Amino acid sequence: LLGSVPSYYREVHQALCSRADERVQTDVFHRLLSRTQLSLDLQNQITEHVDDGNGFLSKVSLYKALALIALAQQGKQPSPKLLENCIQEFPKPHLGEPKELQSLKLQVAQENPLLISLTLPNLLGKDSIEVELIPEKKGLFLKHVEYQVTSERFKISVYRRYSDFDVFHELLLQRYAYRMVPALPPKRVLKGVLTSVSEREFIEGRRRGLGRFLNLVARHPFFSEDELVKTFLTFNGSDVQTKLRDAFRKMGDEFMTCRHATQAKDYLPVDIQSLFSASRELIRNIHTSFQKFRDRAERMAERSKENATDLLMLGKELGALGSDPLPVPSLDCSSNMWGDLRHSLHSLSSEFSLLADKAARKGRREEDDVVEQLNLFLDLLQSYKDLCERHEKGVLHEHQRALQKYTVMKRQMMSAAVQPKEQVEQLESRIVQQENAIQTMELRNYFSLFCAHQESQLVFTYLPITSHILGAFISSHVQGHREVRMHVPLFALVQRDKAS
């Protein structure tokens, strides 16, 4: 094999290998893969062929990986079988000069996987999801509602029912129990309570809620590349739920697939518990304040829409009065006065219609640009609060119970000297199993804190969205007042006509 290896392979290996031996760290190799411009799927395939899971690649494994990268860059499937045809000369991958690759080792040493270096535009630019009702599928009952889900990233539309969302959410929560998985909007309204109009409003609210859920998921730095998310947003087959369950069975939960899971403790700061508590308290306060702001903004948007309805009705009444065909009885000069006034009222009715349209647009602006964006932000904050509760009531609680059980077993062992040998051996076996379970729970506990710390960074990355929301709120009201002032001269003109 070494005789057929190009010198470029040896130079790349020399640039990447550690000083202690000829092996290459897996983290360095992953960073090398990211330079290839290959899809994540192809990168994963290459990794499966060369990575044996011990954290390092041997020299031969690296050479094999370089050949597979070169084949993939040529548009071929990176299969080891293709290497059998390359005995005389292995292909050269496009990775740049070997000296430039030395920096990959330094970057791995300097970077901390606990830190998330993303901006709000980075997150918002990952994808934009539209969720629309399918009118012909709506029917009379909620169970017939179907949604068209369109992903800007994947350039595809798929059709989903609420039950599909439900299964997707359940599996996402199982796979990423230590992450912020947003909640779904409620499935149904209370029976026999709401009118048909309220039911339509509920369906619309649920559509918006499903859209917020998908956008938060599709923009999450860890969810966005997951097979579950890709399947839900792109699979056009007849049974997406089975497809999702199959995908989950192949992966398991994040703790089993994240390469940092078992070393999470090493990356955590010593004061992680106090940081966790401080972040939780601050985010809780932010949630409470913006929830109050959302409630008031929602009422103001609703009032704008109600004002639009009232203005439109006033305009219609004035228009009807101004168009009244009944003759005016001859009472002094009242005939000419009423004729002039009726003409003014008819003109004024169109102005009320224009004001109604502007008020309606103001209400829609506030609903879409302010209330809906606040709901998105609040959904994110609520998912963080839910995550904190899962950490305390789930992993932490189970860890404490396991320790208590272990303590009881040890006491039983100490008093088991007079017990038969077989029972003592069974108890010893159970204690070993419990020790292994406790060790796994400790690792999961640290990984849960690791993820919670990353998720708190994600929340703070989203915080600038609040300034955009406040700006949209102020802009909407300024525009609304400006449009009303434009109509003041028209009203004054009508008043002068009436007075004359």
Side-chain angles (χ1 to χ4, degrees), residues 264-435:
K265 181 181 178 181
D266 299 334
Y267 297 112
L268 292 173
V270 292
D271 59 343
I272 183 60
Q273 291 292 352
S274 60
L275 285 173
F276 174 75
S277 299
S279 296
R280 185 179 187 182
E281 183 64 25
L282 177 58
I283 291 173
R284 182 190 292 121
N285 292 340
I286 293 172
H287 181 271
T288 300
S289 296
F290 275 95
Q291 194 171 41
K292 293 177 181 177
F293 178 36
R294 189 276 315 274
D295 292 342
R296 293 188 180 278
E298 196 170 40
R299 286 197 294 270
M300 294 175 74
E302 194 61 37
R303 283 201 297 268
S304 292
K305 292 190 289 185
E306 290 174 356
N307 287 342
T309 302
D310 291 340
L311 287 167
L312 187 62
M313 295 305 298
L314 278 172
K316 288 182 177 180
E317 291 296 333
L318 292 174
L321 190 59
S323 303
D324 189 353
L326 292 177
V328 181
S330 180
L331 300 172
D332 299 329
C333 63
S334 60
S335 178
N336 290 335
M337 181 191 301
W338 175 241
D340 294 339
L341 184 58
R342 187 163 58 184
H343 177 73
S344 298
L345 292 176
H346 184 73
S347 301
L348 193 59
S349 67
S350 61
E351 296 303 322
F352 271 91
S353 297
L354 287 173
L355 282 174
D357 181 62
K358 294 180 185 300
R361 279 186 284 165
K362 180 174 179 289
R364 288 193 296 271
R365 277 199 311 269
E366 293 172 0
E367 194 171 61
D368 295 337
D369 300 340
V370 179
V371 176
E372 189 61 19
Q373 292 302 309
L374 281 170
N375 281 330
L376 178 80
F377 183 58
L378 289 171
D379 287 351
L380 177 78
L381 299 182
Q382 183 61 51
S383 66
Y384 181 83
K385 292 174 65 178
D386 295 341
L387 169 64
C388 293
E389 288 188 14
R390 285 200 302 275
H391 172 74
E392 289 192 343
K393 296 180 180 179
V395 179
L396 197 59
H397 183 63
E398 289 177 6
H399 186 207
Q400 291 170 348
R401 286 178 58 188
L403 288 173
Q404 292 172 357
K405 185 177 179 180
Y406 177 73
T407 304
V408 171
M409 286 182 176
K410 293 292 285 185
R411 288 174 181 170
Q412 291 175 347
M413 188 66 189
M414 293 174 64
S415 60
V418 296
Q419 298 293 333
K421 182 179 179 181
E422 183 179 344
Q423 293 184 9
V424 173
E425 290 177 349
Q426 289 178 353
L427 185 57
E428 288 176 343
S429 176
R430 288 171 54 202
I431 288 176
V432 171
Q433 292 176 2
Q434 191 65 14
E435 287 174 344

Side-chain angles (χ1 to χ4, degrees), residues 37 53 188 266 277 312 325 373 426 439 444 450 468 483:
Q37 303 299 318
R188 64 184 75 238
D266 299 334
S277 299
L312 187 62
Q373 292 302 309
Q426 289 178 353
Q439 185 179 15
R444 283 186 173 270
F450 178 93
H468 302 320
E483 290 174 346

Side-chain angles (χ1 to χ4, degrees), residues 145-277:
V145 173
E146 193 170 13
Y147 303 93
Q148 177 177 290
V149 177
T150 305
S151 164
E152 185 177 296
R153 174 189 176 189
F154 295 108
K155 310 297 182 185
I156 191 173
S157 293
V158 293
Y159 300 94
R160 300 287 182 256
R161 289 190 174 182
Y162 185 88
S163 58
D164 300 328
F165 281 90
D166 199 25
V167 170
F168 175 52
H169 178 265
E170 177 188 346
L171 295 175
L172 201 62
L173 198 53
Q174 290 179 40
R175 172 142 172 74
Y176 291 102
Y178 311 126
R179 301 284 181 189
M180 294 188 298
V181 179
L184 286 178
K187 181 178 181 179
R188 64 184 75 238
V189 294
L190 296 176
K191 294 181 179 179
V193 175
L194 300 179
T195 64
S196 59
V197 174
S198 296
E199 186 173 288
R200 287 196 296 272
E201 291 174 351
F202 169 79
I203 294 174
E204 170 60 15
R206 189 172 71 177
R207 180 194 69 79
R208 287 176 176 266
L210 292 174
R212 295 194 302 270
F213 163 76
L214 283 183
N215 274 293
L216 287 174
V217 167
R219 294 166 181 171
H220 193 285
F222 298 101
F223 301 166
S224 58
E225 297 300 326
D226 194 89
E227 195 61 33
L228 283 176
V229 176
K230 292 181 180 179
T231 299
F232 188 84
L233 294 177
T234 63
F235 182 69
N236 257 323
S238 58
D239 192 357
V240 68
Q241 296 183 21
T242 300
K243 189 75 172 177
L244 288 168
R245 291 190 175 98
D246 290 343
F248 175 74
R249 276 194 291 269
K250 294 176 182 178
M251 295 180 292
D253 78 329
E254 186 187 13
F255 179 79
M256 303 301 294
T257 58
C258 178
R259 67 177 183 268
H260 301 301
T262 55
Q263 290 88 35
K265 181 181 178 181
D266 299 334
Y267 297 112
L268 292 173
V270 292
D271 59 343
I272 183 60
Q273 291 292 352
S274 60
L275 285 173
F276 174 75
S277 299

Side-chain angles (χ1 to χ4, degrees), residues 21-217:
D21 52 34
E22 293 187 335
R23 297 183 302 172
V24 175
Q25 292 184 39
T26 305
D27 286 343
V28 175
F29 174 65
H30 284 299
R31 190 166 294 281
L32 177 73
L33 275 177
S34 68
R35 293 172 61 97
T36 63
Q37 303 299 318
L38 296 174
S39 69
L40 190 61
D41 184 51
L42 287 174
Q43 292 181 36
N44 290 336
Q45 290 182 42
I46 294 171
T47 301
E48 289 175 5
H49 292 314
V50 300
D51 186 5
D52 58 8
N54 65 359
F56 294 90
L57 264 65
S58 66
K59 181 193 290 187
V60 173
S61 294
L62 178 66
Y63 289 167
K64 182 179 177 181
L66 293 175
L68 292 174
I69 290 171
L71 292 173
Q73 288 177 332
Q74 294 172 10
K76 301 175 183 178
Q77 194 66 19
S79 170
K81 293 182 179 180
L82 289 178
L83 298 182
E84 298 174 3
N85 301 323
C86 301
I87 296 177
Q88 297 299 322
E89 183 180 3
F90 282 92
K92 179 182 176 181
H94 300 289
L95 299 171
E97 292 297 321
K99 290 182 179 179
E100 297 175 358
L101 302 179
Q102 292 179 355
S103 63
L104 299 180
K105 289 192 297 184
L106 300 175
Q107 290 175 11
V108 170
Q110 294 170 357
E111 287 189 1
N112 185 346
L114 182 64
L115 304 179
I116 296 179
S117 301
L118 290 172
T119 64
L120 181 61
N122 293 150
L123 294 175
L124 299 181
K126 283 183 175 292
D127 203 351
S128 180
I129 310 291
E130 293 289 338
V131 178
E132 299 295 339
L133 282 170
I134 307 299
E136 62 271 18
K137 298 286 185 179
K138 211 160 48 169
L140 298 175
F141 303 99
L142 291 180
K143 64 181 180 180
H144 295 301
V145 173
E146 193 170 13
Y147 303 93
Q148 177 177 290
V149 177
T150 305
S151 164
E152 185 177 296
R153 174 189 176 189
F154 295 108
K155 310 297 182 185
I156 191 173
S157 293
V158 293
Y159 300 94
R160 300 287 182 256
R161 289 190 174 182
Y162 185 88
S163 58
D164 300 328
F165 281 90
D166 199 25
V167 170
F168 175 52
H169 178 265
E170 177 188 346
L171 295 175
L172 201 62
L173 198 53
Q174 290 179 40
R175 172 142 172 74
Y176 291 102
Y178 311 126
R179 301 284 181 189
M180 294 188 298
V181 179
L184 286 178
K187 181 178 181 179
R188 64 184 75 238
V189 294
L190 296 176
K191 294 181 179 179
V193 175
L194 300 179
T195 64
S196 59
V197 174
S198 296
E199 186 173 288
R200 287 196 296 272
E201 291 174 351
F202 169 79
I203 294 174
E204 170 60 15
R206 189 172 71 177
R207 180 194 69 79
R208 287 176 176 266
L210 292 174
R212 295 194 302 270
F213 163 76
L214 283 183
N215 274 293
L216 287 174
V217 167

